Amino acid sequence: MSKDRTYDYVIVGAGSAGCVLAGRLSEDPGIRVALVESGPRDRRSEIRIPAAFPKLFRTEYDWDYATSPQPALDSRELYWPRGHTLGGSSSINAMMWVRGHRDDYDTWGETAGEEWGYERFEPFFRRAERWHGPAREDSVHGRLGPLHISPPRDPNPTTAAFLDACRAQGLRELGELNRPDHAGFAITPLNQYRGRRWSAADGYLRPAARRPNLDVYTGARVTRIDFDGVRAAGVVADGIAPGVLRAAREVILAAGAIGSPHLLQQAGIGDPKALADAGIETRVASPEVGGNLQDHLSYAVTVRTPRPVSLTGADTPANIARFLLRGRGPLTSNIGEAVAFVATRPEPTAPDIELVYAPVPFVEHGLTPPAEHGITVGVVLLQPRSRGRITPTGAGAAAPPRIDPGYLADGEDLRTLVAGVRRAEELLADPALRPLRGAPMGGYPGVVDDEALTAAIRAGAETLYHPVGTCRMGADPDAVTDPRLRVRGAESLRVVDASVMPRITRGHTHAPTVALAERAVELIREDARP
C-alpha cells in the first residue's frame, strides 16, 4: 500500500461495478486508483462452489439487510442479502448471466439519451464476455473479455425435462438466451470457469491486483464523503489510518442500490424533508435520491419428486471430491439451471414473467437445507409497476437506511404474478414434467383458486435479489445523475452501479451492471481529457 493517500479516483464499493472500474481505470499506469470495500476479502471456499452460495447468506460476506414491513405481503419484513466482500453480490449470487430484453435498454435510451439504447449499449456486454459455449456464426457473446461465461457444466437430469415441457407448451426455443428478444426458453449462461464461480473480482480485480497504481482497501467502511464546497474531495473511512482518501479527480460511488443513495443522503444530497427528519443538513436538494426503487419479486412453485433425482443431499464426500478434482458434478450447479421468459397477456411486446427452473426445493433462500427431494419453478415479476424508496433513519453512516420496496403497491403486479404461477403450473402438468411432480411443499398450496393463490403469494413471495433505480440517471433535471452518471448539484462525484438504472431489466442485474460500468469507464476517461 502506498503511504500517499491521494488518488486520481476513489471508488467506493468493490462489487460488480466497482471491480470493473478499478480494473479498467488502473490499466493506465499514469492514473492512481483506490478501491474501498467494507467487507473482507473473498477467501471463503463456498464462494468458489456454485451450489454452496446459500451458505454465504447471513455471514460476514452478506450485508444481511431487511426491508420495512410490507403491507401487501402480510406485513412481513423480507430478508435482502447483498454481497459484502470483493466481487460484491457477484461473489454470493446464482451466477446467472442474463442481459435482459432490448426494450429495456431502449427505455433507458428514452430517459437518458440514445447512447444508452440497445444498439449503442450492447457492445459493452461483448467487451465483458469470454464465452465458452458452442461456437455459432450468429453468436451474441464476446469471446475476449475478462468474465468467463459458460453453460451449466453438469446440469441435473430433470432440467432436460423442464426444457422438454417448455418445448411441448409451444414456447420458443432459443439457441442463446441473450439474444435481443429473449422471449422463449433456454439453458442458463453462467459466470463460471471450469465449474467454479467466476466473479467480477476474479475477472477484473485479480489481474490488476499487483499494479502499483491500484490500492485495494478491505474492511474499510466509508463513513462519509469529504467535500470542498460542492466538490467531492475524497472519503473518510474506518479501518484506514489515516482515515481520509483524497480524490484529485473524482469520487465514484459503486456501493449498490442501497449503499450509494445512503451515502449521498448522509452527505446531505437528497430530499430535504427526509434529510431533515433524519437530522441531516441539506447540501444539495435532490428529492429523487433513494426513490424509484425497483426489485424483482418472486414466488416459488415447489413440489416433491417421487424419486431422489434433485440436488437435495448433493454435498456427499464423493461429489465434493468430484468437484475439487475435476470441477464436475452436482456442486457445479448454480441452482437456477434453465429459464423461460413469457408474456402472460397478449398486449406486452416483451415478457413480463420469468420462470426459473431449480432442480431442488429452494425454500427460505436455501438457508435451511431441504430434507426431501423436490423441484422449484420460481415465478419472477419482471416489470413491476410498484416503486419503493431508501430513506435515512438518522445522521451518520451507522444509522441504517430504511428499505421499503413497496412490493405489490400497484395491484396489477399481483395479477401478473398470479398469471405467472398459472403458467408454471401448466409446465409442471406437462407430460415431460408430470412424472417428477408430487405433492406441493414449502409455501406453495398446489393448484387452488385465485383467492387462495393470492393469499399464498402474499404469505410467501420473496426478493430475487435485484434492487435498482435509487440514483436514477436521466436527461431531465429531476434525475439524480445525468446521462454521464454525474451527480447533479455536486462536482467530481459520480455513481456507477445498478442504482442509476431508470428501469429494471427483464432478467438478472449482474450482466447489465457490468456492462454499465464498462460504459462508465469510457465516460470517465472522456471527461478527464483536457
Side-chain angles (χ1 to χ4, degrees), residues 331-516:
L331 295 183
T332 65
S333 175
N334 75 310
I335 308 300
E337 294 186 354
V339 297
F341 287 91
V342 301
T344 62
R345 55 178 67 83
E347 295 85 7
T349 58
D352 56 2
I353 285 288
E354 178 186 10
L355 304 175
V356 181
Y357 180 73
V360 70
F362 193 75
V363 180
E364 296 178 353
H365 305 276
L367 289 165
T368 302
E372 302 177 81
H373 284 273
I375 57 175
T376 301
V377 179
V379 181
V380 185
L381 179 67
L382 289 175
Q383 293 279 277
R385 297 190 181 194
S386 305
R387 294 290 184 273
R389 179 171 285 275
I390 304 290
T391 51
T393 60
R402 182 176 185 268
I403 304 169
D404 180 10
Y407 287 129
L408 305 185
D410 188 306
E412 190 61 28
D413 288 347
L414 181 58
R415 288 187 284 274
T416 302
L417 261 181
V418 169
V421 172
R422 297 306 186 204
R423 294 299 300 270
E425 290 171 340
E426 290 171 2
L427 286 174
L428 287 170
D430 188 87
L433 279 173
R434 196 179 301 146
L436 298 172
R437 179 174 179 166
M441 64 187 302
Y444 174 56
V447 180
V448 294
D449 61 29
D450 284 359
E451 183 179 358
L453 179 56
T454 295
I457 290 172
R458 293 190 189 279
E462 295 284 355
T463 177
L464 200 71
Y465 323 117
H466 298 157
V468 307
T470 48
C471 297
R472 176 181 73 85
M473 67 173 169
D476 60 290
D478 293 331
V480 177
T481 51
D482 69 14
R484 302 185 73 81
L485 311 184
R486 298 170 299 197
V487 176
R488 279 195 164 84
E491 296 175 5
S492 302
L493 182 61
R494 204 180 301 247
V495 181
V496 181
D497 57 34
S499 71
V500 304
M501 297 180 184
R503 189 79 167 94
I504 196 166
T505 57
R506 294 172 175 85
H508 299 239
T509 49
H510 174 52
T513 300
V514 168
L516 187 151

Side-chain angles (χ1 to χ4, degrees), residues 270-300:
D271 176 61
K273 183 180 185 307
L275 296 178
D277 290 345
I280 302 170
E281 184 178 349
T282 298
R283 183 186 305 273
V284 175
S286 184
E288 280 204 26
V289 172
N292 194 45
L293 175 60
Q294 302 156 65
D295 182 39
H296 286 143
L297 190 65
S298 175
Y299 182 72

Side-chain angles (χ1 to χ4, degrees), residues 142-227:
R143 289 186 170 270
L144 301 175
L147 288 184
H148 293 283
I149 316 292
S150 64
R153 206 165 196 206
D154 278 325
N156 185 270
T158 65
T159 299
F162 173 80
L163 298 173
D164 287 342
C166 290
R167 194 175 294 112
Q169 291 292 312
L171 299 181
R172 182 173 65 150
E173 186 167 5
L174 303 172
E176 291 186 339
L177 181 65
N178 286 312
R179 296 163 63 103
D181 177 5
H182 65 4
F185 68 95
I187 206 81
T188 309
L190 306 176
N191 285 116
Q192 287 189 7
Y193 183 56
R194 296 179 177 174
R196 290 168 170 79
R197 176 192 297 276
W198 192 261
S199 70
D202 293 320
Y204 287 92
L205 205 53
R206 302 230 192 290
R210 294 188 179 182
R211 293 174 186 161
N213 61 326
L214 172 64
D215 286 347
V216 179
Y217 299 89
T218 55
R221 183 172 185 179
V222 171
T223 56
R224 77 170 194 267
I225 304 168
D226 196 32
F227 279 88

Side-chain angles (χ1 to χ4, degrees), residues 89-281:
S89 292
S90 77
S91 289
I92 71 167
N93 67 1
M95 293 150 280
M96 300 171 73
W97 185 262
V98 185
R99 295 180 178 182
H101 195 278
R102 71 175 303 141
D103 284 4
D104 301 329
Y105 304 101
D106 288 341
T107 297
W108 291 12
E110 293 170 3
T111 301
E114 63 179 12
E115 67 271 18
W116 291 103
Y118 179 79
E119 294 299 334
R120 298 277 295 274
F121 189 66
E122 192 272 346
F124 294 99
F125 288 109
R126 295 177 185 260
R127 184 173 297 183
E129 296 167 339
R130 183 170 298 233
W131 174 243
H132 293 276
R136 295 165 52 98
E137 289 186 5
D138 60 344
S139 176
V140 300
H141 291 110
R143 289 186 170 270
L144 301 175
L147 288 184
H148 293 283
I149 316 292
S150 64
R153 206 165 196 206
D154 278 325
N156 185 270
T158 65
T159 299
F162 173 80
L163 298 173
D164 287 342
C166 290
R167 194 175 294 112
Q169 291 292 312
L171 299 181
R172 182 173 65 150
E173 186 167 5
L174 303 172
E176 291 186 339
L177 181 65
N178 286 312
R179 296 163 63 103
D181 177 5
H182 65 4
F185 68 95
I187 206 81
T188 309
L190 306 176
N191 285 116
Q192 287 189 7
Y193 183 56
R194 296 179 177 174
R196 290 168 170 79
R197 176 192 297 276
W198 192 261
S199 70
D202 293 320
Y204 287 92
L205 205 53
R206 302 230 192 290
R210 294 188 179 182
R211 293 174 186 161
N213 61 326
L214 172 64
D215 286 347
V216 179
Y217 299 89
T218 55
R221 183 172 185 179
V222 171
T223 56
R224 77 170 194 267
I225 304 168
D226 196 32
F227 279 88
D228 180 5
V230 295
R231 179 186 177 276
V235 302
V236 178
D238 291 338
I240 300 174
V244 180
L245 302 178
R246 297 293 179 190
R249 295 189 179 183
E250 290 187 19
V251 172
I252 306 172
L253 301 185
I258 302 169
S260 288
H262 182 56
L263 283 169
L264 289 180
Q265 289 164 342
Q266 292 300 325
I269 302 174
D271 176 61
K273 183 180 185 307
L275 296 178
D277 290 345
I280 302 170
E281 184 178 349

Side-chain angles (χ1 to χ4, degrees), residues 9 11 21 25 31 249-250 252 484-485 494 496 517-529:
Y9 300 101
I11 303 163
L21 294 169
L25 291 174
I31 297 296
R249 295 189 179 183
E250 290 187 19
I252 306 172
R484 302 185 73 81
L485 311 184
R494 204 180 301 247
V496 181
E518 287 275 16
R519 167 67 176 139
V521 169
E522 282 199 354
L523 298 176
I524 293 165
R525 287 172 174 165
E526 289 170 2
D527 289 348
R529 291 175 189 149

